[in-house]
Amino acid sequence: MRQLTTLVLFCLLVGAGFAQTSGKPEDRAQLERVALGRAQSDVWRQLVALPVKPGLSLGAWAGRDARLDRELRLWIRSLPRTGHARFYSDQSCDVDIQIDPQALRDKLVELHKRFALPVTSDDDISRTGRDWPMIWGGGSSAASERVEAKPPGWEDISLEGVEVARRAAEADAFASLIDEIGRLRLTASRSLQEFIDSSEGVRAAIVAAIEKGAKVKVTHGADQVCQAEARMETVDVLRIMNDVFSTTYRGDDFQATDFREMAISAPRVAVVGIGLAVAPERHRLANPTPQIELDAPTWIEKKIEATGRFERTEPEPIALPGATERARLIAADQLRTLVSDLAIRKDLSVGTLLMYRPQLKDDVALFLSGARVVAVSRGETEDTTVVKVELSLRRLWEILKRGLTPVETDPSASQPADPPEGRG
């Protein structure tokens, strides 16, 4: 019964957090897109550092083949958020993404088989991947960050950097389009790639014609990855090949009949190449000097952990995802107690502050609802599910600061000013 009461109370608190959130739906959607993009970027930064085998990181492994790197990035960019987007009353938003190590291993094995890199094997990935942790990426956004002249999520990139990323993505898209065109069948036994590579002059003529005739669409993603899509109708590809064969090709390996055969058998769909690029680091704008918080608690850059234990009492079985979520909520309620006891200063705890600033309670409940599952195990029986969760405390401090009175101090003064008031 106590577990049920805990779950109900906690869900009501989370619901209250949503009820207090204001803002237009389109503004909320943009906040979520930017936060999701930043969460995807956070996931990417963690993934590229993972070891594939001794001396070889996942980032270095993928970087050996542009196609592999592109496919891995596209997969990361397709990941949906985990759980709900958390919209706070100060018009900010948090989004999380979780990747299970097994899902990551399966994806990498699939990519390895497609691109057949000689430096690794499926066993390397499966064996090393057993030690990979649960991957969590988080992203935040705020309405105050918006810069109208730049794409959402690119606020800290210079306008020149935005343009550099666009041009690089277009170049990558053209390279990808040419690769895709090369996979088309020229005859039953030969691919079009063989004709493209028949001479430097032929390749140069084909590339120039494709770059001139392809339709390109560019989007700047909120994850600060620029994506370009280069598209060309198959009939236009055939026209280019015939023109280059007639005007540039010199040799006997290919005949006009080959292209007539291709015109009959080629699929009647457009050929598409996807290109990705990011702005070079030199185009990232320096962060403005942050306000120094002399009296900030020591815990704001730390994490707290709790373990939830759910024991099934109903006669009907509960699938592992459902049992995991119930255990997570139980653990999150334990986090609530830990958070309440955190000291803001010597004579002021989080729980005490919330007594005097009840308007912050909804945001704190919403913050607690974002508890991340970092480990799941069975208990002594199959009816017991044990879940370990954690929370980073930086967002909590951003919430609590709104209930404190800031006091400016003179850095040159010999004595520090009194700390912020806790009761307003």
Side-chain angles (χ1 to χ4, degrees), residues 152-175:
W154 292 66
E155 291 81 6
D156 62 339
I157 303 295
S158 68
L159 289 174
E160 181 183 2
V162 174
E163 178 63 16
V164 167
R166 182 190 66 79
R167 293 197 300 266
E170 287 181 346
D172 190 40
F174 285 129

Side-chain angles (χ1 to χ4, degrees), residues 311-325:
E311 296 184 6
R312 181 176 69 87
T313 57
E314 300 88 343
E316 298 79 10
I318 298 177
L320 182 59
T324 299
E325 178 60 14

Side-chain angles (χ1 to χ4, degrees), residues 27 29 121 182 225 338 417:
D27 294 336
S121 66
V225 175
L338 295 175

Side-chain angles (χ1 to χ4, degrees), residues 119-377:
V119 295
T120 53
S121 66
D122 292 351
D123 288 341
D124 288 329
I125 296 171
S126 298
R127 182 170 55 253
T128 306
R130 285 196 293 266
D131 297 326
W132 290 342
M134 188 87 74
I135 302 293
W136 277 97
S140 299
S141 63
S144 58
E145 298 176 304
R146 188 73 186 98
V147 178
E148 292 298 331
K150 297 178 183 178
W154 292 66
E155 291 81 6
D156 62 339
I157 303 295
S158 68
L159 289 174
E160 181 183 2
V162 174
E163 178 63 16
V164 167
R166 182 190 66 79
R167 293 197 300 266
E170 287 181 346
D172 190 40
F174 285 129
S176 176
L177 178 60
I178 292 167
D179 285 342
E180 294 299 323
I181 289 173
R183 292 191 177 93
L184 296 176
R185 305 308 304 176
L186 178 58
T187 66
S189 60
R190 308 182 78 173
S191 71
L192 200 51
Q193 191 66 50
E194 295 179 59
F195 176 67
I196 295 173
D197 294 337
S198 61
S199 73
E200 291 185 6
V202 166
R203 184 176 183 85
I206 290 173
V207 169
I210 288 173
E211 290 182 348
K212 181 179 180 181
K215 296 179 180 178
V216 182
K217 178 183 178 182
V218 178
T219 56
H220 288 79
D223 56 350
Q224 294 188 350
V225 175
C226 186
Q227 177 172 319
E229 178 185 285
R231 174 183 295 265
M232 178 167 280
E233 300 298 326
T234 305
V235 63
D236 294 324
V237 173
L238 293 171
R239 175 183 53 77
I240 289 172
M241 298 302 159
N242 274 297
D243 289 347
V244 172
F245 175 80
S246 301
T247 61
T248 308
Y249 176 71
R250 300 291 182 267
D252 300 322
D253 291 339
F254 299 92
Q255 308 298 323
T257 54
D258 296 335
F259 296 93
R260 287 196 290 271
E261 180 180 339
M262 181 180 177
I264 296 172
S265 60
R268 295 295 186 266
V269 295
V271 186
V272 178
I274 301 296
L276 303 175
V278 298
E281 195 61 30
R282 67 179 182 275
H283 291 290
R284 189 173 300 280
L285 301 175
N287 292 326
T289 303
Q291 187 178 23
I292 299 174
E293 298 174 333
L294 298 177
D295 57 350
T298 57
W299 47 258
I300 63 175
E301 299 301 338
K302 297 180 180 180
K303 296 178 181 179
I304 55 172
E305 299 177 345
T307 300
R309 187 183 190 89
F310 172 72
E311 296 184 6
R312 181 176 69 87
T313 57
E314 300 88 343
E316 298 79 10
I318 298 177
L320 182 59
T324 299
E325 178 60 14
R326 295 195 187 187
R328 186 187 76 87
L329 291 176
I330 293 170
D333 189 63
Q334 295 177 18
L335 289 178
R336 177 184 59 79
T337 302
L338 295 175
V339 163
S340 181
D341 292 339
L342 287 173
I344 298 175
R345 66 179 191 187
K346 185 177 180 180
D347 58 344
L348 183 67
S349 69
V350 172
T352 303
L353 176 64
L354 293 179
M355 289 175 58
Y356 292 98
R357 298 288 186 268
Q359 69 273 19
L360 301 178
K361 288 184 178 180
D362 288 346
D363 278 350
V364 172
L366 197 57
F367 159 74
L368 290 169
S369 74
R372 296 175 171 182
V373 175
V374 294
V376 180
S377 61

